[in-house]
Amino acid sequence: MSCGIGHVQEAQVKAEELRSQINYYDYLYYAKDAPEVSDAEYDELMRRLRAIEEHYPELIAPDSPTQRVPAVKIEAFATVEHREPMLSLANAFNFHELEAWYKRAAKMAGTEKFRFVCEPKIDGLAVALVYENGRFVQGATRGDGLHGENISENLRTIRSIPMQLQGKDYPERFEVRGEVYMPKSAFEAMNNERAERGEPLFMNPRNAAAGSVRQKDVKLTASRKLDIWIYQLGWADGDSPPTHSATLEWLNGLGLRVNPEIKRFEKLDDVQAFYKTWEERRHGLEYEIDGMVVKIDDKSVWDELGYVGREPRWAIAYKFAPIQATTKLIRIAINVGRTGSLNPYAILEPVRVGGVIVKQATLHNEDDIRRKDIREGDTVIVQRAGDVIPQVVGPVVSKRTGNPRKYKLPKKCPVCKSEAVRPEGEAMSYCTNISCPAQMFRWITHFVYAMDIDGLGEQWVWNLLDRGLIEDPADVYFLTMEQLVALDRMGEKLATKILANIEASKQMNLNRLLSALGIRHVGGEIALVLANHFQTLEAIANASEEEIAEVEGIGPKIAASVYAYFHDRQKMAIIDKLKKAGVNMEQRQPKRIEGPLSGQTFVFTGTLGVMPRGKAEALVTRLGADATGSVTRKVTYVVAGADPGSKLAKAGSYGIPVLDEDGFLAMMREHGELE
Ligand code: IVH
């Protein structure tokens, strides 16, 4: 017989063995985050178990790992009564409020000596899971705190909820509580798919999780990639550890997924410091948190402190400044990017979000606006996440008045009035006039920045364009002393410095020139890939689209854009001018220098105030370090200037030390590189 299935008794033993193996590997994977088998080995165990169960359907146990998704739909969710009410938490919004909470608790308990457990406050949906003799028997929503809905079938589909606990160290019946959530990446992927099918989008991961878990068609829940963190023991028929931290450790040992970021502290100041680090680090997490939950560790204190209404006195939610707010979208305006892209953005009635006043927010592109159905005059939700540019999440349709028109991107460039076109397969429309002043201005300022021409700020670029002294980036190389000093408020000293920097920029490596050229989809990292592969600008310009696409790391979209750029007559005329000016067009391999920073890797992000990024990179290279563009675990330091963007969050999530500019300059001084 195939798959070695023999007698029913033998099969039963084998099935039990497979189930317990699978359960154990689930435990290692989900509860311990320390997988021991490959996906393929795991899948093989599942396949063998399925084969037995297909052959002997009478052996199928309801909590078998193969039975997570039932075939039938749920008619209605039954109501369950919570044996202990599911409470909520009081909030603190600043240190002062946290301290007031602590002082009240200390006074009531007659001691100031507490240990605190600090936990990420997961932004999802609270559930209660009941285990009987180690088996999952019921899962319910919080509902009104006293009664919830029985969503056991839906919760079974969440792979990180064990159907069978590990070991034997559990009471006969007990309940744990936790938060079901949807990881950010799953949320984005799901919304993208929904958009493609023209379905309405979920506003945030929490709504998505709540909507997914209460599906009567359990297959839908199963398709939604939900996960859970367990943060509390609800009740237990039997003993449990005397402290909350020990309880969480115990639950984790039973196979329940407990957040590894949870920490214990003895001083409130340390709680505060921990909270502060999370204000930034939260953005690098795979799930959304809206604060920290601070709990007193000693459970005997819990009984002493009791409750106020529905809120325990022994715990508090220490919330982050809200990152979302609603306001009125006055108008949708367009800004023309350096590649000619028409970038729609929202002009808003000023609103405070996450401690900052926001007046403008990005709207990404036309499709995004139409998909979310954002219209001028709408009340909209605005979001700020860390250092990311504020964005409009969506309209509050219930507050829409009148019947505003659906948004349409203009067909003409709002600056030069030339035709705008949207290339096939692209999300953005582009102004077709390469001499469009808005486009040129952005391109030249970008060029100047990328080529490290220090001193030639936006104001000067604008002035030079205005006077017709430059028309494109290459003209910068033909500026003279007389022309510069003739500008209002430009002294000889500054002019000399600018001219020296222009001269020095001719020696920039090819990758820097490539990113300065403003080729659509070619940023710093792609430019480096192209430069390293082709070595000369000429080789890139002569390459076929296929040859470009064959380069590792270059997709067809980038290849098409690079190819088109070097087959545009106007662009090639500018490149010719650059050549005539003596700008380097080759990739020179920097000699690796041995120095005090050998073996270290630096990433620079954001705008440095004192030193241009290129110079900073050159400095660390001179000391033996590498400077790269992307944050990986190998990076030693991230140096963050103003508006650092997502790299900072990534550094936070990897625990890479971040230096600000002062810290970086101090380090360079230590190595004798600066006075
Ligand atoms: S403890 C009595 N811990 O926040 C203690 N709750 O605002 C009750 N939440 O209903 C909850 N993360 O849905 C606790 N680490 C955490 C939490 C957490 C998220 C949610 C939970 C609760 C709500 C209260």
Side-chain angles (χ1 to χ4, degrees), residues 85-91 118-127 142 177-180 229-232 244 248 259 262 288-295 302 307 310-317 319:
M86 285 183 81
L87 304 167
S88 56
L89 293 169
N91 292 323
C118 295
E119 310 176 1
K121 186 170 189 300
I122 316 298
D123 204 6
L125 151 105
V127 296
R142 176 172 185 274
R177 292 172 181 180
E179 200 87 346
V180 168
W229 291 118
I230 299 297
Y231 50 65
Q232 199 76 20
H244 180 57
L248 291 179
N259 196 310
I262 296 176
E288 290 210 336
I289 64 175
D290 58 352
M292 303 299 289
V293 180
V294 185
K295 298 173 185 171
W302 293 9
Y307 306 87
R310 288 288 182 77
E311 296 160 359
R313 288 200 185 86
W314 42 265
I316 193 156
K319 299 291 264 301

Side-chain angles (χ1 to χ4, degrees), residues 203-216:
M203 207 63 125
N204 52 45
R206 181 175 37 137
N207 290 354
S212 301
V213 96
R214 291 183 64 263
Q215 286 290 338
K216 295 196 172 133

Side-chain angles (χ1 to χ4, degrees), residues 274-330:
F274 189 60
Y275 166 88
K276 281 282 167 198
T277 63
W278 276 107
E279 273 185 328
E280 277 306 326
R281 279 181 70 198
R282 61 190 290 212
H283 301 297
L285 283 175
E286 240 304 276
Y287 45 90
E288 290 210 336
I289 64 175
D290 58 352
M292 303 299 289
V293 180
V294 185
K295 298 173 185 171
I296 291 171
D297 196 21
D298 186 345
K299 290 205 275 187
S300 65
V301 176
W302 293 9
D303 301 331
E304 256 170 85
L305 293 182
Y307 306 87
V308 222
R310 288 288 182 77
E311 296 160 359
R313 288 200 185 86
W314 42 265
I316 193 156
Y318 190 7
K319 299 291 264 301
F320 297 130
I323 55 164
Q324 287 196 341
T326 57
T327 188
K328 195 179 162 89
L329 188 167
I330 302 169

Side-chain angles (χ1 to χ4, degrees), residues 74 77-78 80 125-128 136 138-142 148-156 180 213-215:
I74 296 168
F77 296 112
V80 294
L125 151 105
V127 296
F136 172 80
Q138 188 187 80
T141 61
R142 176 172 185 274
E149 284 176 317
N150 185 334
I151 52 163
S152 307
E153 298 307 322
N154 305 75
L155 291 177
R156 257 179 219 286
V180 168
V213 96
R214 291 183 64 263
Q215 286 290 338

